[in-house]
Every structure is written in C-alpha cells, then in structure tokens.
Amino acid sequence: MAEYAGMKIDTFWHVIEAAQAGAVATGEPFDEVLVKQLAERPRQEILEYAERFDELHDALYRWDVWAAAYLIGGGCSDDSFMDFRAGVIALGCQWYQRVAAAPDSLAAHPDVVQTAKVRDRSEVLFYEDVNYVASGAFERITGDADAFYEAWRSFRGVNTESDNAVVWARISTSTTKGR
C-alpha cells in the first residue's frame, strides 16, 4: 500500500498566496476569498488542505510563539492562540517561516508595527475565521454545515463513537476545571 502524500507544501502555500492576491484585488476578507477558492477544488483537495493546515498550525504550538502572541495581543488565551497561529499561516509562507524560526521577528511585521500603540490589539494577527475555511468550503459545496466533519472523520479514519467520547471527555474536563 502506498503512503498517503497529501497536499504538497508548495501547493498549500500557493493556495494561501492566491487567496491573499484575491483579497487585495477584490477588497474581500482573506478568509472569504480562501473559502471561495477552496470550494472550486475537489473535496479530496479540501481535506488535504485541512490536513496540511493542521500540520502547520500544530508546528507553531510552542511557548516562544505563544509569548509573541501574548505580547502582540496584550494577552493570549488558549483559544486566542489558536486564532493567532491561523493568522500567522494567513500571512503566507515567508512570514510563517520567519515566525517558526524566530517568533520575535513578528515585531517587524507592518500590522504589528502599525498597531503597537493601539490600546485594543486583540485583532492583530488573531484571525479566527481562517481556522474554519475548509469546513466553510465544504458547506458552500454541499449546503450542509456538518458535511466537512463527516468527510474529515472518514478521511482521517477516525471512529465516530470513540472520537465523540474523547470530545465529550475533554468538554466535561474543561468545564469542571473552572469550578
């Protein structure tokens, strides 16, 4: 059996950069352009995009990156850190690589420089909607908000019952921790 190769990294970054260019050209938000562009691709490619996105997103799950997010945002919860990492991916390959190598390099990013003196910096690089573009593309294709998650479980080979048990265990653990 051949090993699954998924979406090549160059293809992934091409998709991101095409969406950036489309957002500049149309004035539409980057995430909306990305959803439209992904919705034009076969479902398998959308799932491969999501897999590559998760890989890159997870690679930024580091304390030094979180520290940069904390400083830029004037604080950073775990949910905000998810959004921050999505925002870094939305910056494109060059900035992603810079941040992965040296998170402090974000201090030179034009958006960070421009908003350094603004009191509410919570939106700088914290781009929640980028986390959900693959599911948005699936919904656009199918008209079903749950279609992506069903396809994702099948794509990843996840057992739905055990997956749901893990999710519910996490939810109940996180809600009892705050009490």
Side-chain angles (χ1 to χ4, degrees):
M1 177 183 250
E3 185 176 312
Y4 172 73
M7 179 177 274
K8 293 182 179 179
I9 192 71
D10 291 343
T11 303
F12 177 88
W13 288 120
H14 175 73
V15 169
I16 295 293
E17 289 162 10
Q20 288 172 330
V24 169
T26 63
E28 293 179 72
F30 166 79
D31 62 289
E32 291 177 22
V33 173
L34 185 53
V35 166
K36 285 179 188 177
Q37 290 181 357
L38 285 174
E40 294 172 356
R41 293 175 172 267
R43 293 177 189 190
Q44 179 71 20
E45 284 186 34
I46 298 169
L47 295 167
E48 291 173 2
Y49 165 90
E51 182 175 54
R52 183 64 71 183
F53 178 89
D54 284 355
E55 175 187 296
L56 293 166
H57 196 258
D58 291 350
L60 291 177
Y61 192 85
R62 304 185 336 231
W63 286 114
D64 56 343
V65 178
W66 202 324
Y70 187 91
L71 291 172
I72 290 167
C76 187
S77 68
D78 54 347
D79 285 345
S80 293
F81 188 48
M82 286 177 50
D83 302 343
F84 180 82
R85 291 179 288 147
V88 170
I89 292 169
L91 295 176
C93 183
Q94 289 181 357
W95 273 103
Y96 179 90
Q97 289 175 344
R98 286 177 71 177
V99 171
D104 289 345
S105 68
L106 275 170
H109 189 276
D111 290 343
V112 175
V113 171
Q114 180 180 350
T115 59
K117 296 182 182 178
V118 176
R119 188 174 294 260
D120 181 19
R121 302 186 304 256
S122 61
E123 296 302 314
V124 177
L125 301 182
F126 293 79
Y127 205 158
E128 179 180 11
D129 292 340
V130 175
N131 288 308
Y132 309 109
V133 296
S135 62
F138 252 79
E139 184 173 1
R140 183 165 294 194
I141 292 169
T142 65
D144 180 1
D146 296 325
F148 171 77
Y149 302 102
E150 293 166 13
W152 183 248
R153 283 190 291 272
S154 176
F155 178 76
R156 299 294 293 164
V158 176
N159 178 328
T160 304
E161 281 187 37
S162 65
D163 188 38
N164 288 342
V166 169
V167 169
W168 283 112
R170 287 182 185 158
I171 290 170
S172 62
T173 302
S174 67
T175 57
T176 57
K177 284 183 180 177
R179 293 183 186 169

